[in-house]
Amino acid sequence: MYFILELLGTVAFAISGTMVGVQAHMDMLGTTVLGLTTAVGGGVIRDLLIGVTPPAAFQQPVYALVAIAVSLIVFIPPIRKRINTNAMILILIDAVGLGVFTVTGVKSGITFTNPFLQIFLGVVTGVGGGVLRDMFAMQKPAIFVRHFYAIASLIGAAVCYFLLSVNDNAAMIAGISVIVVLRILAAAFKWHLPKT
Amino acid sequence: MYFILELLGTVAFAISGTMVGVQAHMDMLGTTVLGLTTAVGGGVIRDLLIGVTPPAAFQQPVYALVAIAVSLIVFIPPIRKRINTNAMILILIDAVGLGVFTVTGVKSGITFTNPFLQIFLGVVTGVGGGVLRDMFAMQKPAIFVRHFYAIASLIGAAVCYFLLSVNDNAAMIAGISVIVVLRILAAAFKWHLPKT
Amino acid sequence: MYFILELLGTVAFAISGTMVGVQAHMDMLGTTVLGLTTAVGGGVIRDLLIGVTPPAAFQQPVYALVAIAVSLIVFIPPIRKRINTNAMILILIDAVGLGVFTVTGVKSGITFTNPFLQIFLGVVTGVGGGVLRDMFAMQKPAIFVRHFYAIASLIGAAVCYFLLSVNDNAAMIAGISVIVVLRILAAAFKWHLPKT
């Protein structure tokens, strides 16, 4: 079940990365690297921060291979022209991906018993791939400019962390649920943080 | 004493990062991430290069938490509008930060007995956060374009490294002093490297 | 012999990085950092991914020092004005560099017996420095936009990987040769991937 949710998130993140590459007029290699980076980049940064080398994305390449396959399919012109990145179904599976990746990140830091680190690892796992995607495409990272996106991940990571001492499964389900709900509400009501 | 100098540097770097984020029209999350990144990013890169995981910034989160608090305060409109990043007081504490972070970096590589590495670690610790800040804001890193800034760090790192064999404290004080003096002179007289 | 090929590649990559810095109107520090980054950046990323700290570029600083020296020389105005980055001789030694760095990367991952990882490490070692160079210069990474460059590295990495089980030297020679030939053909006939 958890594996299926992770795969869903991988697919959503790969589509998002590929579409940013298409909008930036990249070639098929560029869009595929952006799809791959968006899907596995957050986990790779997290693993480098906690000393897991080679990062899990390489040790279990199934997610990377799915991301590459999805990116190549999405690049096909008749398919890419039909993808609307604001469609509710894409926002929903992206929200699931953000939730699952965030709680995976919180749990991966668990041996360090340091709330600041564990919550940070959760957010980095959730949003780090998207930041790399935007930097490769020479755009200001979207989460720094106009989205409530990373805050949903942050709140869910904190909820997950504080429930971990109670019950492992409850912490993960609560963390994912909070993120999915907040991310969808934020998209529906165009929530954003104070701007400059 | 050293701790107070490090905190001063953290505050100066966090202000610098937040102001770059404000100028780049980021929201409150973006400016805070830029403040945090400028303050602790150099140390995180250094730690990844020498295999210290999780990086010290996470193991002793006091600097990160100070940077986040400063960034949130600086974001408040009436406060941010009064900050002049060219004010002499900001340049002075930024110079102290550059000096302290650089010598910390030189010493962190000390078990490797490799002058190239140790001096490089000093410079990366001093200027790496600012490079990440500029890249997140989609600006060419300031130190690559128009500043003597990194050269002050480089000279101070070399002075510190070569005095370490004589006396630990003397090396640190000399390194910091050289950097503070050079950085202030560079700002006052607009020193710069040959341009293209 | 291999050492000489690696030095040739280092020189070509340092020239390429310095020239991108010159075109981006950087100062002497910026162009030198770009030359250094292009030459050793791919290897540093590879080493961080497989947990080699400090990265080999610091443990054997000869390549880094050569890259710095070349970058400083290329910066001298009468010299830099005569360099034509499309000259056949530069494309040839750049192709050798791409080939040598890629097979070095494939072999560095060899203890992991994971084809996805090993081929990825080869490509990252070959093209990672150029991606960092472009990001420092605030340009979309060239390999994502218009070049067959990374595909030459990818094909050569795969050839090298699959021949490693047969014969070590044959694998390296075949991998380098494939990359050199493909990269030169791609430049001569302006091969590119499907664009958007």
Side-chain angles (χ1 to χ4, degrees), chain A residues 84-106:
Chain A
N84 172 3
T85 46
N86 289 319
M88 203 58 203
I89 176 73
L90 269 188
I91 288 178
L92 180 63
I93 63 170
D94 181 277
V96 170
L98 183 65
V100 173
F101 290 173
T102 301
V103 304
T104 305
V106 172

Side-chain angles (χ1 to χ4, degrees), chain C residues 25-42:
Chain C
H25 303 292
M26 293 189 171
D27 65 17
M28 201 171 66
L29 177 78
T31 57
T32 305
V33 171
L34 256 68
L36 173 63
T37 302
T38 310
V40 308

Side-chain angles (χ1 to χ4, degrees), chain A residues 49 114 140-141 143-144 194 196, chain B residues 24-28 54 58 75:
Chain A
L49 288 173
N114 171 336
K140 268 179 234 164
I143 61 161
F144 296 167
T196 57
Chain B
H25 303 292
M26 292 189 171
D27 64 18
M28 201 170 67
F58 297 103
F75 182 81

Side-chain angles (χ1 to χ4, degrees), chain C:
Chain C
M1 176 63 188
Y2 197 71
F3 176 71
I4 290 172
L5 292 180
E6 282 193 304
L7 276 186
L8 267 183
T10 301
V11 169
F13 279 33
I15 293 174
S16 142
T18 307
M19 294 307 289
V20 168
V22 166
Q23 282 148 21
H25 303 292
M26 293 189 171
D27 65 17
M28 201 171 66
L29 177 78
T31 57
T32 305
V33 171
L34 256 68
L36 173 63
T37 302
T38 310
V40 308
V44 168
I45 299 174
R46 174 203 64 211
D47 286 346
L48 292 180
L49 288 174
I50 59 175
V52 173
T53 54
F58 297 103
Q59 290 176 351
Q60 307 170 330
V62 56
Y63 303 103
L65 296 175
V66 166
I68 291 171
V70 168
S71 301
L72 290 173
I73 292 169
V74 169
F75 183 81
I76 301 169
I79 293 178
R80 95 168 87 108
K81 275 162 194 161
R82 275 203 209 151
I83 290 179
N84 172 2
T85 46
N86 289 319
M88 202 58 202
I89 176 73
L90 268 188
I91 288 179
L92 180 63
I93 62 169
D94 182 276
V96 170
L98 184 65
V100 174
F101 290 174
T102 300
V103 305
T104 305
V106 173
K107 284 171 58 76
S108 70
I110 208 158
T111 48
F112 299 108
T113 64
N114 172 335
F116 177 71
L117 172 62
Q118 285 181 236
I119 293 172
F120 186 89
L121 291 175
V123 176
V124 161
T125 310
V127 309
V131 170
L132 285 179
R133 170 200 68 200
D134 294 339
M135 295 185 74
F136 280 150
M138 288 297 121
Q139 297 175 0
K140 267 178 235 165
I143 60 162
F144 296 166
V145 183
R146 58 187 154 82
H147 281 312
F148 191 78
Y149 198 89
I151 300 294
S153 167
L154 179 63
I155 294 171
V159 166
C160 175
Y161 173 74
F162 290 110
L163 287 178
L164 275 177
S165 54
V166 183
N167 178 295
D168 214 55
N169 279 329
M172 292 173 68
I173 293 169
I176 294 173
S177 306
V178 164
I179 292 170
V180 168
V181 169
L182 285 178
R183 194 249 181 274
I184 290 175
L185 287 176
F189 296 103
K190 300 195 190 303
W191 285 353
H192 59 77
L193 291 177
K195 297 187 197 183
T196 56

